[in-house]
Amino acid sequence: MVEASKIYHRYDKNSGYALSNINFIIERGEFVFLVGPSGAGKSTLLKMIIREIIPTKGILKVFGHDVARMPRHRVPYLRRNIGMVFQDFRLLEERTAFENLAFAMRVTGASNRDIRRRVPYVLEMVGLPDKADARVCDLSGGEQQRIGLARAIINRPAMIIADEPTGNLDPDISFEIMHILRMINLRGTTVLVATHDREIVDRLKKRVIHLEQGRLTLDEEKGAYAGAL
Ligand code: ADP
C-alpha cells in the first residue's frame, strides 16, 4: 500500500532535513500508528503520501506507484483512494450531516440514488443513524468527528489517513473514535493514524512507527507510545 525507501525531505536548500532515511512498508489491511513529538516529521510524511509534497530524495510508492513520477492526471485518483480525517474535522459546519456526506460523494460523480442509499448506511456505521438532518454546528465534537470518519469512508477508499483525529476530544470520546477506526480497519481498509494520544496507542497494541527529529527510531508490532523500555 505504502512503501518508503530511503526517503529524505527538506523544505528548502538551506534548512535541515525534515525527514531523513525513512524506510517502511505498510501492507494492505494494516492498522498503523505514527507517533513522535511535535516537529518530528509526521505531517510531512502524511502530506507525501497524498502527494502534497514530493520527497527530496528516495522513493515513496503509494498503491504501487512512485508519487514523484506520478503524472498529474493520476493525482486525483490517488487522493480519491485515501480518506482523510483531521483534528479540526474540516466539515461544512452550516450544512447537515447528510449534505456533508452527499457533497463528498457528488464530487466523484455519484448519482442521487447512490447517495440516498449510501449515506444512511455510513451514518449507521459511525453510530449516528439519527443525525442525517442535524446541522454539523449543532453536534458535539465527538459527533462531528464521527461525521469526519463517515466522510472519509463514504467513497470506499483503500486507505484512511487520520492526522491527530482525537486531538480535540475528551479521552472517552477519543476511544470511541478509535474504536470506529478499528472497525473500519476490520472491514478491510488500511488505517494510518498520526497521534500524540499515548493512552490510546498503549491500549490498542497495534503497529507503532516512531519518528524523532525526522528519523524513524522504532517500528514495532503491537507497540506502545514510549516504545520498548
Ligand atoms: P510533526 O507533524 O511531527 O509535528 P512536521 O512534519 O510538521 O512535524 O515538521 C517536521 C519539520 O519540518 C519541522 O522541523 C518543521 O519546522 C519543518 N516544516 C514543516 N512544514 C514546513 C514548511 N512548510 N516549511 C518549512 N519547514 C517546515
Side-chain angles (χ1 to χ4, degrees):
M1 276 268 119
V2 182
E3 188 174 347
S5 346
K6 298 184 183 152
I7 287 188
Y8 290 77
H9 186 72
R10 58 178 168 191
Y11 282 93
D12 64 72
K13 281 200 190 87
N14 302 319
S15 67
Y17 283 99
L19 291 175
S20 289
N21 194 23
I22 302 294
N23 299 280
F24 62 83
I25 293 177
I26 296 175
E27 307 277 7
R28 179 183 298 272
E30 278 198 85
F31 188 117
V32 182
F33 284 118
L34 181 63
V35 305
S38 186
K42 303 182 295 298
S43 305
T44 303
L45 192 53
L46 299 184
K47 283 180 189 154
M48 241 174 225
I49 295 173
I50 55 169
R51 204 186 181 272
E52 261 182 39
I53 56 181
I54 289 172
T56 309
K57 266 200 287 182
I59 294 177
L60 179 66
K61 286 188 181 173
V62 181
F63 309 136
H65 297 279
D66 180 347
V67 291
R69 291 162 169 256
M70 188 175 285
R72 202 167 281 272
H73 70 264
R74 274 199 73 91
V75 175
Y77 172 81
L78 169 83
R79 293 188 185 151
R80 210 170 291 163
N81 264 299
I82 301 176
M84 293 293 298
V85 181
F86 305 96
Q87 176 170 2
D88 55 0
F89 319 136
R90 301 200 195 169
L91 299 165
L92 305 167
E93 290 190 16
E94 302 294 324
R95 300 300 183 89
T96 65
F98 184 94
E99 286 166 342
N100 270 269
L101 301 177
F103 182 76
M105 284 186 78
R106 211 163 274 133
V107 295
T108 70
S111 67
N112 285 335
R113 190 190 144 118
D114 290 342
I115 292 170
R116 278 197 304 273
R117 200 181 295 161
R118 176 85 177 149
V119 170
Y121 175 78
V122 172
L123 281 173
E124 176 93 42
M125 264 185 77
V126 299
L128 294 178
D130 305 326
K131 297 292 185 186
D133 297 324
R135 283 196 313 167
V136 166
C137 56
D138 294 329
L139 297 174
S140 69
E143 288 170 335
Q144 292 192 26
Q145 193 58 301
R146 285 168 188 255
I147 304 294
L149 292 177
R151 182 188 52 193
I153 57 173
I154 194 102
N155 295 318
R156 302 181 178 84
M159 180 159 85
I160 299 279
I161 291 182
D163 193 359
E164 297 282 358
T166 60
N168 287 340
L169 303 173
D170 293 338
D172 287 356
I173 309 291
S174 298
F175 203 75
E176 288 172 5
I177 293 296
M178 233 23 105
H179 178 71
I180 298 170
L181 276 169
R182 218 161 54 156
M183 199 180 72
I184 291 167
N185 174 246
L186 287 174
R187 290 171 173 231
T189 309
T190 307
V191 174
L192 175 60
V193 184
T195 186
H196 276 109
D197 200 327
R198 186 176 286 264
E199 201 188 318
I200 279 178
V201 173
D202 290 349
R203 270 173 81 171
L204 260 62
K205 302 203 167 35
K206 296 291 184 186
R207 178 175 171 194
V208 185
I209 295 178
H210 299 252
L211 290 183
E212 232 165 278
Q213 296 183 336
R215 292 177 184 276
L216 196 163
T217 51
L218 196 60
D219 181 352
E220 45 175 7
E221 295 299 327
K222 300 187 180 172
Y225 192 97
L229 296 173

